Amino acid sequence: MEIYVLVKQVPDPEAIVKVKGETELEIENKYFTNFFDEIAIEAGLKVREKFGGKLTALSVDNRRADALRRAIAMGADEAVQITDPALEGSDPFGIARALAAFLQGKPFDLILAGRQAMDDDAGTVGLAVAEALGIPHVHGILSLEVDPTERVVRVAREIEGGKEILASPLPALLTCQKGLSVPRIPQVMNVMKAMKAQIKKVDLASLGIDPTEVGPQGAKVRVRRYFPPPRRAAVRMIKEDFPENVKTLVRLLREEAKVI
Amino acid sequence: MPGEIWVFAEQQEGKVKKIALELLSAGALFAEKTGQPLGALLLGSELKGATESLIPFADKLYIWDDPELAVYSSDTYLPAMAALVRERGPSVLLGGATSTGKDLFPRLAAHLRTGYAPDCTALTIEDDGSLVATRPLFGGKVFSEVTFSDDRPQMALVRSNTFSVDPNPKRSAEVFSVPFVSESARAKKKVLAREKAPDERVDISEAEIVVAAGRGIKAPENFRIIEELAAVLKASVGTTRATVDEGWRELKDQIGKSGKNISAKLYMAFGISGAIHHVLGIGTCKTVVAVDSDPNALIFNYADYGIVGDLFQIVPALTEELKKTLTDK
Amino acid sequence: MALDFTFTEEQEFFRQTIRDTVNRLIMPRVAELDEKEEFPWDLWKEFAALGYLGLRHEEKYGGMNTDTITQMIFYEELARGSCGFAMSVTMQILMGTYFIARFGNEEIKQRILVPAIRGEKIGTICFTEDQSGSDLGGTRTLATKVDGGWRINGRKQWITNGPIADFATVMATVDPKLGLKGLNFFLVERKTEKRDGFVSGQRLHKLGSRCSVTGELVLDNVFVPEENFLGEEIGKGVQYAGEILNEVRVMTAMNALAIAKGAMDDAKGYAQNRIAFGNPISKYQLIREKFAKYWAWYEAAWNYAYKCAWMIQNRLPCTNECMMAKYFATEMCMYAVEEAMRIYGGNAFCTEYPPQRYWRDAKFLLYGGGTHEVLCDYLGRVFLKD
């Protein structure tokens, strides 16, 4: 099976993010592979282990290839980095355009991605790639069964109040949710391999993409300003002893906050 | 001004979701401000009840009623909606940030080559019809205000409880039955089954009131007292990563990074220390109450009301007090 | 190009990978490892399965022979988790197996080194005795030449992994009167029915690094065959020891850096949230000074330690430098763990909070690789020589 996994390098969830100017963010220099993308890589590796084939990690990044190296360290066969200055400032649709252009015409069976990236939390690129390639997608899968002979996958996705079980023909794009797999800890042999790996680099010209379709010119939404999360007023500690404090709380929720 | 303000009126089993009514209520204000009509899109099967409930909320009601649409799938909903968008040219298309919305809108926006803002916590419209959306980034560490290009419609998904439902909607929608044309040639997904979660409660991401307990609950069976409190408040029960990792509660109830964001009217946290991953998930809750035995617990920095105390004492007493208060109105 | 103070992208990637591995495997269990004072076999096996025990050994034995700087990155990141676990792992990777790999014949390498790299056999090195630690010349464990091999008698103390070790590199003297020139290394395995060897003596209960089990090894007239003599000539034990001492000292510096950073990162969180007199204590000057001083010293110690790693990697003579790297990093660490305790105020005294564990774990750094008093005497002498 030909499997592709879309990966993104994002700031570590513990990294400090501050609003610097109206349109500028200061992000602590701690990066890691997007959590949901690791889940996707693991899911892809399991499929390859079961049915054979090749797993390629794919990323759009102008600065780092760590997420791709991570994929190799976990066991991916190959990694490709789409990089081009014109991609700077792209919105998710621009990124998706680049990824889809690379994948167009390739004999893929399954494309996996994380359900969202933990920087922009947009959950858009995967679905936009599916649309560009004209293949079915399922968003946020919790389980995956593959039938390569019937060319069908059977997945579960979370919906409000429960789960939905779906079947989709292949090729398909699936975005992965927590619970689908537990990403393996890379073996040091593969870590060494990843360190030395030659990551194939691809630019927009080789993809046949017009620079105006991506980057800030191609962006359909723009951030006008950033601001820190609204701070709550200082907490009102209810200092009475039990059981008066409970009575006071109920009264405040009723009369002051008016939420019950 | 040409164009219409549209809201995707998501329905489940023939009943329109509350988020759709919230968005129609907000949409009504947008429509008035910009002089555009307000439209609702309803797709499904056997939609008589749903249709009636929507009539007071919109000026136009576009309905696709077909058995093939009974269960949501992007394979059917997307082409249907895209065709009408191209025909009518709405300026705005809103939807709820639900599992359906998140599955449909990004792909639809890509298909229409138009702008899309996911998971918005606030939304306004300028006089000239441009939408301005506010949405969290980095799990809520930073917020951004987003504007759209000239492409239309401007699409956005909005979180539950961002807007309130108009208690007295006064419109009277004109109903348009849109023929559904099935594209059988296209390879499609098939929904095989739906498994209902054992508890019937509203998902925490949609609930108006959420009560939650963390590590301080000490044992899974102690969640019983939280469930009893939830029953009195008609609330949903959430939890933190600690209890999910222990296997005491399910991932679907986890609040915070890698779990869910909640935007409840009232959120009550019991025995939750307030680690950053959790508190970023509750940022947009209107009123937060925290109860913990540690006076230095970080959760108090993110709460409106706090009690330092033993949750095993306070929760049952709170349940009793609420039973009394809520019955005698 | 001279003076490039950056790591390569590959080295940064390696560091991130180890950090993530430590976060996932070790961090959740740090308090438990400290409390139980038991060797964590399950964690050991998981770690071995990932292949890290072969970090310093040839591929043909199952290792992957990385360079010194990569190894030091590994030691630094590993020590950020559990200090005790790090001690056992580094013993296995470095001191416990170095002389086997260097001098053992092929049969010994297959029987001992290969399973050691897989984590199936646990190794250690034995220097210290009752009355001799830094003073190697005071070694009394005696190796007597006999027909076909050697007989070794003595008791070795403070042996990391001792109670669970399957094999050990033992430093013994052929004649106490020769002093340092009488010292040699021997491979001794644990006594079984079929083979003579060491037995465990007393188990030591330590203040810190508690999940690394430490104890006495007793060599009671143990016979070892000739091939167990680890060396090319008799009397070169100290010279051979010198081959790894530089690495051992920089590795110890890495431990010190990791403990110091752990303690002060944690103390930082505490200081930012602990309110006293209406403000978080991080707003007060005397608290700020502690962090400022730590930060400056930490940066200096960290950069110097990696410079020494670079010198080792480039085969530059650096005995004094590595001693200083260990000395400086450790002294900085002593300051950091002490101040972390002070920042926590009364809460530091409670075992529920982390500072006391960093403080306890850090103390052994003062002795490992030579006590500071001995190092200073040596370094002072060298400095004042001309």
Side-chain angles (χ1 to χ4, degrees), chain C residues 143-152 174 184 186 222-226 228-229 234:
Chain C
T144 313
K145 189 86 192 70
V146 297
D147 208 18
W150 300 80
R151 282 224 175 258
I152 308 183
V174 292
N184 299 276
F186 295 88
V222 172
F223 172 78
V224 293
E226 187 59 46
N228 284 30
F229 173 80
I234 297 200

Side-chain angles (χ1 to χ4, degrees), chain A residues 13-15 119-121 131 135 137 160-161 163-165 167 220 222 224-225 227 229 232 236 238 256, chain B residues 99 107 111 135 138-139 141 143 145 147 149 189-190 192-195 197 277 285 302 304-306:
Chain A
E14 310 291 323
D119 50 6
D120 62 20
D121 292 324
E131 176 60 27
I135 58 176
H137 80 269
E160 290 80 5
K163 275 192 214 167
E164 192 174 73
I165 319 288
K220 307 285 181 191
R222 191 180 69 86
R224 187 158 83 174
R225 74 182 179 102
F227 54 95
R232 261 171 226 280
R236 165 102 163 255
I238 298 170
E256 196 175 87
Chain B
S99 65
R107 189 161 181 160
H111 179 87
R135 55 177 302 260
F138 300 94
K141 290 183 195 169
F143 279 74
E145 209 174 74
T147 54
S149 63
K189 306 184 294 261
K190 211 165 63 156
L192 302 174
R194 279 191 162 182
E195 287 172 15
H277 324 296
C285 290
Y302 301 95
D304 299 294
Y305 301 105

Side-chain angles (χ1 to χ4, degrees), chain A residues 31 69-70 183 187-188 195, chain C residues 10 16 20 24 49-50 64:
Chain A
Y31 284 82
R69 289 195 201 276
R70 179 78 179 176
Q187 293 227 328
V188 73
M195 279 168 78
Chain C
E10 292 76 20
Q16 273 287 43
D20 175 70
R24 280 208 253 177
L50 295 172
M64 74 230 41

Side-chain angles (χ1 to χ4, degrees), chain B:
Chain B
M1 166 178 315
E4 301 180 6
I5 308 268
W6 281 8
V7 171
F8 169 60
E10 188 179 336
Q11 56 82 14
Q12 192 155 316
E13 286 162 7
K15 189 166 180 292
V16 173
K17 292 193 101 152
K18 182 162 164 289
I19 178 70
L21 301 179
E22 290 169 12
L23 294 178
L24 282 165
S25 304
L29 301 169
F30 296 167
E32 269 153 41
K33 186 169 181 191
T34 57
Q36 294 174 87
L38 176 66
L41 308 185
L42 180 65
L43 296 92
S45 182
E46 300 192 36
L47 296 171
K48 190 154 169 295
T51 305
E52 272 165 36
S53 67
L54 283 169
I55 292 191
F57 282 93
D59 298 314
K60 299 186 190 189
L61 185 47
Y62 301 97
I63 305 183
W64 295 255
D65 194 328
D66 190 290
E68 211 178 320
L69 298 170
V71 173
Y72 161 75
S73 168
S74 60
D75 292 335
T76 49
Y77 279 48
L78 192 152
M81 287 168 67
L84 194 70
V85 165
R86 274 190 280 268
E87 198 189 300
R88 298 287 173 129
S91 64
V92 168
L93 173 53
L94 307 176
T98 61
S99 65
T100 296
K102 292 178 192 174
D103 187 276
L104 174 62
F105 269 50
R107 189 161 181 160
L108 179 58
H111 179 87
L112 295 169
R113 298 207 147 218
T114 189
Y116 161 65
D119 200 32
C120 301
T121 50
L123 211 54
T124 55
I125 201 161
E126 320 257 280
D127 292 329
D128 66 357
S130 340
L131 204 60
V132 179
T134 300
R135 55 177 302 260
L137 302 173
F138 300 94
K141 290 183 195 169
V142 157
F143 279 74
S144 64
E145 209 174 74
V146 158
T147 54
F148 293 73
S149 63
D150 291 332
D151 304 278
R152 293 289 180 267
Q154 302 162 93
M155 294 179 62
L157 287 185
V158 183
R159 275 198 206 170
S160 289
N161 297 317
T162 302
F163 299 109
S164 26
V165 180
D166 184 348
N168 290 312
K170 289 196 182 64
R171 286 162 200 262
S172 184
E174 201 185 335
V175 179
F176 298 88
S177 245
V178 186
F180 173 66
V181 180
S182 173
E183 295 175 13
S184 48
R186 222 166 167 240
K188 281 194 208 135
K189 306 184 294 261
K190 211 165 63 156
V191 176
L192 302 174
R194 279 191 162 182
E195 287 172 15
K196 264 187 139 52
D199 74 76
E200 294 282 321
R201 268 188 303 246
V202 174
D203 190 272
I204 53 168
S205 62
E206 300 181 305
E208 285 209 350
I209 304 182
V210 176
V211 298
R215 209 185 273 281
I217 202 75
K218 292 196 166 69
E221 51 271 17
N222 296 339
F223 262 92
R224 187 185 42 81
I225 58 171
I226 306 289
E227 307 266 1
E228 281 167 15
L229 174 63
V232 170
L233 284 168
K234 294 199 184 37
S236 296
V237 177
T239 190
T240 65
R241 184 170 162 177
T243 63
V244 172
D245 285 349
E246 290 281 350
W248 297 353
R249 303 300 285 187
E250 288 176 45
L251 179 60
K252 70 172 179 62
D253 298 326
Q254 180 180 321
I255 300 167
K257 164 187 92 136
S258 80
K260 289 180 178 150
N261 293 312
I262 63 169
S263 41
K265 232 174 33 182
L266 171 62
Y267 172 63
M268 302 183 82
F270 298 99
I272 293 176
S273 61
I276 194 72
H277 324 296
H278 179 78
V279 297
L280 287 179
I282 66 171
T284 47
C285 290
K286 296 200 175 51
T287 301
V288 175
V289 174
V291 176
D292 198 81
S293 54
D294 177 4
N296 291 318
L298 293 174
I299 189 87
F300 292 121
N301 294 344
Y302 301 95
D304 299 294
Y305 301 105
I307 295 183
V308 177
D310 177 3
L311 70 91
F312 293 104
Q313 201 186 41
I314 297 206
V315 173
L318 189 55
T319 306
E320 282 313 304
E321 184 67 24
L322 284 166
K323 270 189 195 152
K324 278 193 294 180
T325 318
L326 293 177
T327 46
D328 48 56
K329 276 186 184 250

Side-chain angles (χ1 to χ4, degrees), chain A residues 169-188:
Chain A
L170 290 176
L173 184 143
L174 309 172
T175 73
C176 305
Q177 165 66 303
K178 179 177 175 180
L180 171 64
S181 69
V182 178
R184 65 193 59 183
I185 298 180
Q187 293 227 328
V188 73

Side-chain angles (χ1 to χ4, degrees), chain C residues 80 256-272 281-282 286-299 331-344 354-359 362:
Chain C
R80 284 190 196 205
L257 291 165
I259 295 174
K261 187 166 203 300
M264 286 309 246
D265 278 354
D266 173 74
K268 173 179 171 182
Y270 184 82
Q272 286 169 333
I281 60 174
S282 58
L286 289 179
I287 298 289
R288 288 183 175 178
E289 192 200 16
K290 296 175 197 295
F291 286 106
K293 184 167 167 184
Y294 150 74
W295 192 12
W297 283 28
Y298 174 86
E299 286 293 311
E331 293 293 337
M332 178 279 299
C333 181
M334 292 301 125
Y335 177 78
V337 295
E338 176 67 30
E339 294 309 315
M341 293 275 280
R342 288 179 183 231
I343 288 161
Y344 260 77
Q356 46 81 28
R357 192 180 63 245
Y358 290 111
W359 189 92

